[in-house]
Amino acid sequence: MASKPDDAPFYVGYLPLPAAIRRFLLPWLVANFVLLIAVGVVIAQQQRDPGDGTWNTATPVTYEGVLTLDPYPLLRVTDAEETGGPLTVLPIEMGKRGSRERLAGLEGQRVRLTGFAIRRTGRVVLGLEAGDAAIEPLGPATPAITFAPVGLGTHTLIGEIVDPQCFMGAMKPGEGKPHKVCATLCIAGGIPPVFVVRDQAGNTVTYLLMTDAGESLPPSHYEYIADPLELTGRIQRQGDMLVLYADLSSFRRLE
C-alpha cells in the first residue's frame, strides 16, 4: 500500500535526516564515490607520460665549449661531466626567447655560459642567467672532431614539432594540442624547434629540426607545430645530437 502523503519522509535542514532518505543516500553516495575514483583512474591511464624532465631554477650551472650560431645557437661541449663525452647544450633566454641576439659576435668562440639547466633523457637546455657574467668569451676555437657530421641517410618519420624548453621540463605537458600556442610562441621567439619521435613503448628520440638547406624552420611551417606530423629528411649525427634536415614539401599533417 502506498504511504499517505503525511507519512512521506521530508528533509528539513535543522532536523535529523529521515531514516528512509538516509537509507537511499548512503549507498548512492558510496556508489558515486567509487565511480568517480574509477573514472579518474581510467582518465589518468590514458594520459601520455610527461617524462622525467627537470628544471632547476635554484642552482645555476656552467658549461664551457665552442659556440655555433647558425641556424640556431648551440654550445658544443667536448667532454661533459654528466655524459662522459660530447654534449650539445641549447642556450636560450629565460622565457620564450632564443639567445641569438645576446650571443651575437661569438660564432666559433670558446665560451663559458652560466644559467639554469632543463634536462631530459640526456639533452640539456640552458636558460642563461641575467647579466654579462653569464657569458664569458674564452677566445677562438675549432669545433672538436667529435662533432663532425655523420650521415645516417634519408628517412620518413612520424612525430611532433615541439619547443625543447617546454618539452624537456619547463611545462608538463610540453607537447600536443594543449601546448600548441605556447610552443609556437617559443619557436617564433627564436628557441630552436626539435622533432620528437615516439615508439610504441613511449620512448622518445629528438631531432634538432632544420630545413634541407640547413636553415631555421620558416614561419610558413609554424602551423604544423604540435600536430601529429609525417615528414621526410636527411639525418646527421653531430656528436651526441641528431639533426634532421627536413624537406619542407614533405610535411603532412596526420589525423
Side-chain angles (χ1 to χ4, degrees), residues 198-250:
R198 191 183 296 270
D199 65 19
Q200 292 184 341
N203 302 311
T204 58
V205 178
T206 57
Y207 300 83
L208 185 64
L209 183 61
M210 305 180 186
T211 71
D212 54 4
E215 299 171 342
S216 58
L217 185 72
S220 61
H221 283 60
Y222 289 175
E223 64 176 289
Y224 294 103
I225 292 171
D227 288 336
L229 185 66
E230 178 185 276
L231 55 77
T232 299
R234 293 180 292 112
I235 297 175
Q236 281 186 356
R237 179 177 295 281
Q238 299 178 10
D240 63 312
M241 176 164 281
L242 294 170
V243 181
L244 175 59
Y245 295 89
D247 177 357
L248 296 180
S249 66
S250 71

Side-chain angles (χ1 to χ4, degrees), residues 88-158:
T88 303
V89 176
L90 279 66
I92 63 171
E93 293 288 3
M94 297 292 282
K96 302 182 183 302
R97 294 184 295 125
S99 60
R100 169 178 286 278
E101 182 176 349
R102 197 168 167 203
L103 296 172
L106 296 175
E107 169 74 30
Q109 298 281 315
R110 190 163 189 82
V111 298
R112 184 180 293 127
L113 301 180
T114 302
F116 301 96
I118 305 171
R119 296 185 174 94
R120 181 174 179 177
T121 59
R123 301 255 63 87
V124 177
V125 172
L126 186 68
L128 296 174
E129 245 187 346
D132 294 340
I135 303 171
E136 184 178 354
L138 302 174
T142 302
I145 194 170
T146 51
F147 291 97
V150 177
L152 300 178
T154 299
H155 299 268
T156 296
L157 304 173
I158 293 176

